Amino acid sequence: MEPTLSKLDQEILDHQSKNFSSQDMLTLSQTYRRNGFIKVPEIVTPEIRAAVKQEALRLLDEFAERRDLKLATTNYTPRKMSVVGSELIAEHSQLVNAIYRSQPVLKFLETIAGEPMHSCPAKDEEFLITRQEKKGDTHGWHWGDSTFALIWILETPPTEYGGMLQCIPHTNWDKSNPRINEYLCANTITTYPFVSGDIYFLKTDTTLHRTVPLNRDATRIIINLTWASAKDLSRKLKDDDRWWAEEDVAAAVQEKEKEIAADAAAGR
Ligand SMILES: [Fe+2]
């Protein structure tokens, strides 16, 4: 016998059944395979999207930490934003935990991905809230350690301010030789704009991606839910580049320190 669903899961399931036919699911699956990216805002109800935004705002108020660094394992592309890390979110948001473990959410995404999805083996990578806020803020070119990410655009400025997602699917991350500029030269870059309330599903392990830097002070808030594929469960992460969990990881070059060193060299 199927276990009875929670009220939240029943709402999600009803909403999905109303919004997606089996033909829609097939088309989404094919597009995901082709582009590594699909928009699926109707994976949950508008009320759930609004509630998750309130959770993220509350967690940012309480726990946000600023990051301004460049990462060696992605050719020193920048990370400039405020973050709330995975363990804090897991500890302080029942709603986010419930969505992460929601069977209708997982089954929907597994149907699109065509393979099983697993909770992340490391507790520090299940969730991430980021807030870009200043001119120049960006999440520079990178891939993900885990295969699947569901990213909720809780708030975004108009496209003319920046903050869009750029993607190159079907590429691979070699952390000791990322060759990002070579991928940029050899491939077409697709740019996706968003409105507040969008949700997208991204194949992060083989989709090189970044956000276009904000060209003025503006607010762009997302929450990222990450899952592992079967192949991710057996890998060993040896590179110390988990910058979102800890500011001073070995692969990070702090922007502040570089500025101080440059000022000292210039005698300022
Ligand atoms: Fe990413």
Side-chain angles (χ1 to χ4, degrees), residues 139 142-144 151 202 204 209 224:
H139 192 155
H142 67 285
W143 292 266
I151 290 157
L202 184 68
T204 72
H209 60 282
N224 180 346

Side-chain angles (χ1 to χ4, degrees), residues 30-268:
Q30 290 166 349
T31 307
Y32 176 79
R33 243 185 306 156
R34 189 178 314 121
N35 299 337
F37 171 98
I38 47 163
K39 280 192 192 181
V40 283
E42 302 305 336
I43 188 172
V44 295
T45 64
E47 293 75 21
I48 293 172
R49 294 201 294 270
V52 168
K53 179 176 179 179
Q54 290 314 308
E55 289 284 84
L57 293 175
R58 176 175 66 81
L59 293 165
L60 280 162
D61 266 355
E62 208 168 337
F63 301 113
E65 284 181 19
R66 182 75 196 170
R67 295 285 185 274
D68 284 281
L69 55 88
K70 292 187 175 176
L71 212 62
T73 48
T74 57
N75 293 132
Y76 298 96
T77 52
R79 310 290 186 278
K80 293 164 76 65
M81 68 197 87
S82 291
V83 297
V84 179
S86 190
E87 283 116 322
L88 283 169
I89 300 166
E91 202 177 318
H92 295 278
S93 178
Q94 258 186 7
L95 176 62
V96 175
N97 276 298
I99 291 167
Y100 188 69
R101 285 162 230 295
S102 160
Q103 285 310 304
V105 168
L106 277 170
K107 279 194 183 147
F108 181 96
L109 296 175
E110 286 176 336
T111 301
I112 287 167
E115 61 176 306
M117 292 168 45
H118 305 271
S119 296
C120 283
K123 285 281 160 204
D124 65 357
E125 59 181 333
E126 288 180 341
F127 311 118
L128 180 68
I129 295 169
T130 75
R131 181 179 61 212
Q132 298 183 13
E133 50 215 353
K134 295 198 241 175
K135 181 179 177 182
D137 276 7
T138 182
H139 192 155
W141 289 107
H142 67 285
W143 292 266
D145 282 316
S146 289
T147 297
F148 309 107
L150 187 70
I151 290 157
W152 307 46
I153 306 282
L154 303 174
E155 187 171 337
T156 186
T159 299
E160 61 173 302
Y161 292 18
M164 306 85 81
L165 184 76
Q166 297 193 300
C167 291
I168 302 178
H170 310 292
T171 54
N172 295 92
W173 190 8
D174 175 350
K175 289 194 180 187
S176 55
N177 184 19
R179 301 190 305 121
I180 286 178
N181 283 346
E182 287 179 43
Y183 281 123
L184 300 184
C185 294
N187 293 279
T188 304
I189 300 168
T190 307
T191 304
Y192 300 102
F194 297 108
V195 294
S196 300
D198 267 341
I199 299 179
Y200 66 90
F201 186 43
L202 184 68
K203 189 172 187 313
T204 72
D205 62 331
T206 56
T207 307
L208 176 59
H209 60 282
R210 75 155 186 169
T211 64
V212 172
L214 295 178
N215 59 26
R216 66 192 86 180
D217 291 357
T219 304
R220 181 188 192 277
I221 298 170
I222 64 119
I223 183 166
N224 180 346
L225 277 55
T226 297
W227 290 271
S229 65
K231 85 166 162 46
D232 298 336
L233 297 178
S234 57
R235 96 217 130 149
K236 292 249 181 312
L237 287 177
K238 55 183 191 324
D239 299 276
D240 185 11
D241 63 354
R242 299 152 87 77
W243 58 275
W244 59 90
E246 204 68 61
E247 186 177 19
D248 287 322
V249 292
V253 178
Q254 303 298 329
E255 287 297 279
K256 276 170 291 182
E257 286 170 23
K258 271 178 45 186
E259 276 166 33
I260 292 164
D263 284 353
R268 285 193 288 260

